[in-house]
RNA sequence: GGCCCCUUCAUCUAGCGGUCCAGGAUGCAAGGUUUUCAUCCUUGUCACAGGGGUUCGAGUCCCCUAGGGGUCACCA
């Protein structure tokens, strides 16, 4: 049985580094038919917020990573932690420390002045005397005085941390609330974790947590410390690198499977494979294959993956996804052709929405450069003749109808395709570039085509007059 | 600063002592397809951080240097 977890602290939104560790935990649990749990680390009442918790849960829902059971809130478990703290106190494995915050700060300063590593000096470790008055004590756990704390990391290998690096750290604050390293160890053990996959910024918490495991007689899980995701230039990932908030990717028009595929390939690979369906990730993922080195965020590759997944999505799904971007196609009679065209050309849903809107709406203005390039020479007359041709044509429904209409038109006038193509393009969508003209005309229909052509002709005449 | 981790193309990576004059992907460049743009296809571009060892043989093992990162709270 494999049990894993993702344990965010609700101090902000879920960022992509967090999503990646969550994904790794999720994959490893699901691959082994085990359990994946969610735990909200909200022991610091002053810093966490309900909105942050909501945002994290929302992100999980968006990427469709399901967790087992209800999320566990550490704030609901203070009684439990207190009972273990009492137990350690009774067993002499933890003790009250009466040093005030100010004294502690002073000690730290002195140590730094002597170029020593700041460290609690253990002055109350074996204290039997009369406690000083007026000080609410903290509880500290007894860490080993000498030797090393050794553990096996599934990514970094054997880690041996000198006991000197681990002091008697605080497990309960003076107000009685438990601290992070204590509750994490207690919860991981009690929730039955077999594998803990987390960011390597937690590497130095591991020996501390091992002290707790051992004091309480809990069985150690396997640890995997995954390197962080760096921003462009190898610096720390920040908002400057685009979206850090997972939900920003949704808003920017990314598909969740593209984001997940992108993240799974950051620090992990399976031969030369780039595209992974959820099933394939589940089939191949193993945390011991995660690279030991940090990787850099690469937005171009994400974009590429996103366009791949858009191309391979059904029109029905795209249509419903596009509603978030203000484009309603579910009941549109030209839905299929519209989506077939644009899913090939767009990298994000947002871009798709913009381009579809551009075709569906009569142009409000014309691109200056396009006008200059397209409307020279006989362009206006050609456009007018084309309008007559469209008006008098018999069958005009499918793109092929419009296409043969254009073919016979250039044939009759003995002109190149560009002579009508460019002005027509400007008339229809207001600029050069864009999808096939026959497709556009078929989508908007004969009447709208004529309307747009006439609008441009009118616009040009007015412009000439002034 | 102490301790720890990391180092293959611009980027993500393959490589687990010989099959590597280092492979794939993204990006970029060129060409083809296209009435345009995009897609797509083809080709090209680009790397073992540096220096010592070990070995018949090193991208792969060891050491040193440099660079990057993490961590040193009554935060999580």
């Amino acid at each position: 049985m494999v049990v894993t977890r993702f344990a965010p602290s609700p101090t902000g939104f879920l960022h992509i580094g967090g999503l990646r560790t969550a994904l790794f935990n999720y994959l490893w649990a699901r691959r082994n038919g085990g359990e994946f749990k969610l735990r909200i680390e909200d022991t610091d009442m002053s810093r966490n917020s309900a909105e942050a918790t909501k945002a994290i849960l929302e992100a999980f829902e968006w990427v469709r990573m399901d967790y087992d059971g209800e999320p566990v809130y550490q704030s609901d478990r203070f009684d439990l932690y207190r009972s273990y703290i009492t137990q350690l106190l009774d067993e002499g494995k933890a003790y009250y420390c009466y040093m005030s915050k100010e004294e502690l700060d002073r000690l730290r300063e002195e140590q730094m002045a002597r170029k020593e590593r700041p460290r609690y000096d253990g002055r109350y470790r074996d204290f039997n005397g009369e406690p000083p008055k007026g000080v609410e004590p903290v509880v500290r756990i007894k860490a080993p005085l000498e030797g090393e704390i050794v553990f096996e990391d599934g990514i970094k290998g054997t880690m041996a941390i000198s006991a000197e690096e681990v002091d008697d750290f605080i497990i309960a604050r003076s107000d009685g609330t438990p601290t992070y390293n204590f509750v994490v160890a207690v919860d991981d053990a009690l929730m039955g974790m077999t594998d803990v996959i987390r960011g390597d910024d937690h590497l130095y918490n591991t020996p501390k947590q091992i002290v707790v495991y051992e004091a309480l007689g809990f069985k150690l899980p396997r640890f995997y410390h995954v390197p962080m995701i760096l921003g462009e230039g190898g610096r720390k990932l920040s908002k400057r690198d685009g979206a850090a908030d997972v939900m920003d990717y949704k808003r920017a028009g990314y598909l969740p499977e593209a984001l997940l595929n992108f993240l799974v390939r950051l620090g992990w690979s399976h031969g030369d494979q780039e595209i992974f369906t959820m099933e394939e990730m589940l089939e191949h993922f193993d945390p011991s294959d995660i690279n030991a080195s940090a990787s850099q965020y690469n937005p171009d590759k994400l974009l590429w993956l996103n366009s791949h997944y858009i191309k391979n999505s059904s029109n029905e799904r795209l249509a419903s996804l596009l509603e978030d971007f203000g484009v309603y196609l579910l009941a549109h009679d030209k839905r299929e052709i519209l989506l077939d065209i644009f899913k090939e050309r767009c990298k994000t849903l947002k871009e798709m929405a913009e381009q579809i809107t551009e075709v569906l709406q009569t142009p409000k203005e014309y691109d200056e450069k396009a006008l200059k390039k397209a409307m020279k020479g006989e362009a206006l007359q050609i456009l007018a003749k084309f309008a007559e041709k469209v008006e008098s044509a018999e069958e005009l429904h499918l793109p092929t109808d419009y296409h043969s209409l254009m073919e016979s038109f250039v044939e009759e006038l003995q002109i190149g395709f560009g002579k009508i193509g460019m002005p027509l393009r400007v008339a229809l969508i207001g600029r050069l570039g864009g999808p096939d003209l026959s497709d556009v005309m078929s989508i908007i229909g004969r009447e709208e085509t004529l309307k747009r052509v006439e609008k441009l002709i009118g616009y040009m005449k007015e412009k000439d007059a002034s």
Side-chain angles (χ1 to χ4, degrees):
Chain A
M1 179 74 160
V2 168
V3 184
T4 67
R5 67 349 69 145
F6 179 59
S9 57
T11 51
F13 45 68
L14 180 63
H15 57 94
I16 56 172
L19 182 61
R20 186 181 60 150
T21 31
L23 175 64
F24 287 165
N25 279 290
Y26 173 86
L27 291 174
W28 188 229
R30 293 277 174 269
R31 181 186 175 181
N32 290 286
E35 289 183 355
F36 170 63
K37 297 181 175 176
L38 197 59
R39 185 175 71 225
I40 308 297
E41 315 237 301
D42 54 352
T43 51
D44 184 354
M45 302 304 224
S46 61
R47 293 201 343 161
N48 58 58
S49 76
E51 297 91 88
T53 304
K54 217 182 120 206
I56 292 166
L57 263 22
E58 192 190 9
F60 266 76
E61 203 169 307
W62 178 56
V63 300
R64 288 199 202 85
M65 270 187 346
D66 53 312
Y67 40 87
D68 293 294
E70 287 299 306
V72 170
Y73 290 83
Q74 290 184 324
S75 53
D76 291 341
R77 294 158 69 88
F78 277 17
D79 288 344
L80 178 78
Y81 306 133
R82 224 181 306 269
S83 72
Y84 281 102
I85 288 167
T86 310
Q87 182 191 323
L88 290 178
L89 244 16
D90 290 346
E91 292 174 349
K93 292 173 177 168
Y95 58 93
Y96 287 110
C97 169
Y98 296 89
M99 236 174 138
S100 69
K101 229 175 168 169
E102 295 68 37
E103 280 180 286
L104 210 46
D105 287 342
R106 212 176 313 132
L107 175 67
R108 241 194 298 277
E109 274 170 37
E110 284 166 15
Q111 288 168 327
M112 302 246 273
R114 273 181 268 133
K115 298 236 167 68
E116 281 171 25
R117 196 183 109 78
R119 184 179 201 280
Y120 174 64
D121 60 7
R123 66 177 69 171
Y124 284 100
R125 186 172 166 119
D126 299 305
F127 182 70
N128 289 319
E130 191 67 22
K133 292 265 181 310
V135 180
E136 282 300 321
V138 298
V139 179
R140 291 184 179 269
I141 191 165
K142 287 183 179 172
L145 263 10
E146 51 190 29
E148 288 178 324
I149 297 172
V150 180
F151 66 95
E152 203 56 42
D153 187 280
I155 294 169
K156 313 258 185 200
T158 306
M159 295 294 305
I161 283 127
S162 163
E164 283 169 35
E165 297 291 318
V166 182
D167 60 7
D168 290 353
F169 61 95
I170 293 170
I171 58 173
R173 302 181 183 95
S174 41
D175 66 359
T177 56
T179 59
Y180 175 76
N181 282 116
F182 182 74
V183 298
V184 167
V186 169
D187 282 335
D188 281 342
L190 261 31
M191 289 167 75
M193 294 307 144
T194 58
D195 298 73
V196 170
I197 306 171
R198 73 217 317 189
D200 71 359
D201 48 333
H202 287 289
L203 198 63
Y204 261 67
N205 288 146
T206 308
K208 292 185 179 179
Q209 291 169 19
I210 288 174
V211 170
V212 177
Y213 275 93
E214 285 176 350
L216 258 15
F218 292 146
K219 188 172 176 288
L220 245 50
R222 279 181 291 272
F223 290 104
Y224 301 87
H225 288 98
V226 332
M228 331 219 69
I229 300 175
L230 270 23
E232 281 168 285
R235 293 270 142 207
K236 215 173 165 171
L237 191 65
S238 69
K239 298 112 241 139
R240 292 186 59 102
D241 297 298
D245 178 357
V246 167
M247 294 311 277
D248 279 347
Y249 289 91
K250 181 182 188 215
R251 290 184 275 271
Y254 288 89
L255 261 23
E257 60 267 41
L259 220 211
L260 259 24
N261 193 150
F262 171 71
L263 290 176
V264 83
R265 282 286 288 100
L266 232 46
W268 178 83
S269 62
H270 181 256
D272 286 338
Q273 189 169 346
E274 295 290 347
I275 305 290
F276 288 87
T277 61
M278 184 47 84
E279 289 68 37
E280 289 170 320
M281 290 186 209
L282 250 13
E283 189 182 341
H284 300 297
F285 181 76
D286 187 322
S288 47
D289 293 335
I290 296 170
N291 287 167
S293 55
S295 37
Q296 216 166 299
Y297 174 76
N298 179 195
D300 283 330
K301 195 150 185 180
L302 208 209
L303 219 43
W304 172 71
L305 280 164
N306 201 50
S307 67
H308 168 85
Y309 282 103
I310 285 179
K311 283 186 191 73
N312 289 284
S313 289
S314 73
N315 289 345
E316 191 171 354
R317 171 148 107 109
L318 290 174
S320 85
L321 254 20
L322 246 13
E323 300 208 327
D324 281 344
F325 296 88
V327 170
Y328 303 91
L329 258 31
L330 250 11
H332 198 284
D333 62 338
K334 292 293 190 333
R335 179 181 106 180
E336 291 304 306
I337 174 171
L338 214 36
L339 291 170
D340 280 345
I341 291 167
F342 286 103
K343 70 191 198 185
E344 288 293 329
R345 350 179 20 100
C346 299
K347 288 182 177 358
T348 66
L349 292 171
K350 194 175 169 204
E351 196 186 324
M352 218 170 157
E354 285 162 4
Q355 292 194 22
I356 288 174
T357 304
E358 187 180 53
V359 165
L360 258 23
Q361 282 181 353
T362 308
K364 292 193 181 69
E365 51 191 23
Y366 301 104
D367 180 72
E368 273 307 317
K369 278 188 202 134
L371 283 175
K372 241 185 180 161
K373 197 164 176 212
M375 301 311 291
K376 49 190 174 189
E378 306 284 288
L380 218 48
Q381 290 90 313
I382 292 174
L383 218 43
K385 276 186 191 145
F386 183 72
E388 285 169 28
K389 178 99 178 165
V390 170
E391 205 155 16
S392 61
E394 288 178 15
E395 276 291 303
L396 272 187
H397 296 291
L398 299 172
T400 48
D401 298 337
Y402 285 95
H403 188 72
S404 35
L405 183 88
M406 286 180 78
E407 272 185 331
S408 62
F409 182 73
V410 296
E411 177 79 15
E412 283 161 26
L413 294 198
Q414 288 291 303
I415 55 172
F417 233 120
K419 287 268 188 261
I420 178 61
M422 287 207 284
L424 187 53
R425 204 164 271 291
V426 175
L428 295 178
I429 61 170
R431 64 175 178 93
L432 296 174
D436 186 278
L437 290 171
S438 312
D439 288 339
V440 174
M441 289 187 283
S442 167
I443 289 164
I444 63 177
R446 187 201 304 241
E447 230 172 282
E448 177 67 17
T449 299
L450 285 169
K451 188 179 148 201
R452 292 188 192 184
V453 169
E454 268 142 31
K455 183 174 175 186
L456 177 61
I457 293 174
Y459 175 86
M460 289 308 291
K461 282 186 175 157
E462 204 170 301
K463 204 178 172 199
D464 280 351
S466 67

